[in-house]
């Protein structure tokens, strides 16, 4: 059966309320051949997300309606491996009655890295040596992801897309990546330069795809960044501590976005 992720607007409810609603879904699901795999809840924003194995969207909605009446506003079909990559799990990590502190809000910061002038590097060095340089990039990025709680979502050929549950950890990873490349370039005859872009958002923000707008924004910010820099959106800066120095880059027109987007550069030296 297909897998769906839905989004509920539940402002004013608590983690305990949502845990009870999830329990009621589990009680009813067997009547309809549906499995509610897990859920996420952001009490601050009043949003909840359910991961559902169901014959179709309508059947999943009937379970919600019968169990507690809280019908989803948006639903998208998803791939389980993608959900696990972005959100870190595809089943309940603890009993449904868990405390608020243990419930994941599903808000994620998405990072893109991009090797500057990778095509020219391949033409200059040849395929074998260029692959070695990409592997050096991958090793430095993955080390920073490991050290800062990031998860690699996919390799883009000349960069990596990653997801973080915490915006500060994501920016710390980005700064660590730039410092690692600076150290690498001091010791290497062939230089590697990267640009990094980050945005933060919810898994079902529109009718597009899993983290669709957030992924697109992070990718566009990365493409707009100068070599050796980190560019983040306003959604990321709102969660950052004052210890991190930001430079306001003003508004940028990005492909795929109707309105100009506020962009900020993160100092890393």
């Amino acid at each position: 059966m297909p897998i769906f992720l839905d989004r509920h607007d539940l402002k004013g409810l608590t983690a305990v309320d949502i845990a009870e609603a999830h329990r009621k879904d589990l009680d009813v699901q067997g009547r309809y051949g549906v499995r509610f795999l897990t859920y996420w809840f952001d009490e601050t924003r009043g949003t909840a997300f359910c991961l559902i194995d169901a014959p179709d969207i309508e059947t999943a909605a009937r379970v919600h309606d019968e169990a507690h009446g809280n019908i989803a506003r948006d639903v998208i079909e998803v791939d389980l491996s993608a959900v696990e990559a972005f959100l870190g799990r595809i089943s309940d990590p603890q009993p449904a009655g868990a405390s608020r502190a243990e419930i994941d809000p599903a808000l994620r910061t998405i990072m893109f890295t991009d090797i500057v002038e990778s095509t020219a590097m391949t033409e200059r060095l040849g395929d074998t040596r260029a692959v070695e340089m990409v592997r050096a990039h991958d090793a430095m990025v993955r080390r920073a992801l490991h050290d800062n709680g990031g998860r690699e979502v996919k390799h883009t050929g000349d960069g990596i897309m990653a997801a973080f549950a915490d915006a500060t950890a994501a920016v710390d990873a980005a700064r660590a990546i730039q410092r690692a490349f600076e150290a690498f370039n001091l010791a290497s005859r062939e230089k590697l330069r990267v640009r990094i872009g980050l945005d933060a958002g919810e898994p079902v923000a529109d009718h597009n795809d899993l983290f669709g707008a957030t992924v697109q924004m992070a990718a566009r910010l990365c493409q707009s960044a100068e070599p050796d820099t980190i560019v983040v959106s306003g959604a990321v800066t709102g969660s950052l501590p004052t210890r991190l120095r930001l430079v306001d880059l003003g508004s940028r027109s990005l492909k795929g976005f109707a309105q100009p987007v506020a962009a900020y550069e993160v100092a890393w030296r």
Side-chain angles (χ1 to χ4, degrees):
M1 290 194 297
I3 305 295
F4 300 100
L5 188 69
D6 68 15
R7 181 186 190 278
H8 301 257
D9 288 323
L10 300 171
K11 199 73 175 177
L13 298 187
T14 68
V16 173
D17 296 328
I18 302 306
E20 177 61 14
H22 182 57
R23 184 194 64 76
K24 290 178 179 178
D25 285 329
L26 298 181
D27 286 344
V28 174
Q29 63 183 4
R31 302 174 198 169
Y32 295 92
V34 171
R35 287 193 305 140
F36 280 77
L37 303 176
T38 189
Y39 72 98
W40 295 263
F41 177 57
D42 188 332
E43 188 165 336
T44 302
R45 292 174 176 79
T47 53
F49 307 89
C50 300
L51 185 64
I52 314 163
D53 184 357
D56 49 58
I57 292 172
E58 293 74 20
T59 305
R62 279 200 294 273
V63 175
H64 275 324
D65 192 26
E66 181 176 329
H68 46 70
N70 293 316
I71 304 300
R73 191 192 75 179
D74 297 302
V75 187
I76 60 172
E77 188 170 345
V78 295
D79 179 79
L80 276 181
S81 61
V83 173
E84 189 161 30
F86 279 109
L87 292 170
R89 62 182 173 87
I90 54 174
S91 61
D92 284 336
Q94 67 277 316
S99 68
R100 178 177 64 183
E102 295 173 309
I103 296 181
D104 182 348
L107 191 70
R108 293 292 183 267
T109 299
I110 307 301
M111 170 198 289
F112 275 86
T113 69
D114 176 62
I115 299 173
V116 176
E117 297 181 350
S118 59
T119 301
M121 179 181 72
T122 300
E123 293 174 351
R124 185 175 67 255
L125 300 179
D127 290 341
T128 300
R129 180 62 176 141
V131 167
E132 292 176 357
M133 297 297 282
V134 172
R135 286 175 177 165
H137 159 276
D138 296 347
M140 286 184 277
V141 171
R142 287 167 178 156
R143 187 178 305 117
L145 298 184
H146 177 269
D147 292 345
N148 292 278
R151 283 184 300 276
E152 181 176 340
V153 176
K154 71 174 182 178
H155 198 284
T156 63
D158 53 7
I160 283 176
M161 176 171 64
F164 296 79
D166 180 79
T168 301
V171 171
D172 284 344
R175 297 172 74 234
I177 290 167
Q178 291 293 11
R179 289 194 294 266
F181 276 92
E182 183 176 53
F184 175 88
N185 289 334
L186 288 173
S188 173
R189 179 178 303 173
E190 185 65 36
K191 310 305 180 186
L192 266 177
R193 305 177 72 191
V194 295
R195 52 173 66 91
I196 302 174
L198 300 98
D199 185 35
E202 297 178 346
V204 189
D206 50 36
H207 293 285
N208 182 15
D209 198 0
L210 187 66
F211 288 100
T214 305
V215 167
Q216 186 180 16
M217 175 74 75
R220 297 302 185 202
L221 288 172
C222 181
Q223 292 168 0
S224 76
E226 294 296 323
D228 311 318
T229 67
I230 303 163
V231 176
V232 304
S233 68
V236 174
T237 63
S239 301
L240 299 180
T242 56
R243 67 175 172 81
L244 294 173
R245 184 163 58 86
L246 303 173
V247 177
D248 189 342
L249 300 175
S251 296
R252 295 187 169 184
S253 296
L254 302 177
K255 183 179 179 180
F257 293 89
Q259 300 299 323
V261 174
Y264 303 83
E265 182 178 335
V266 180
W268 55 270
R269 285 186 174 94

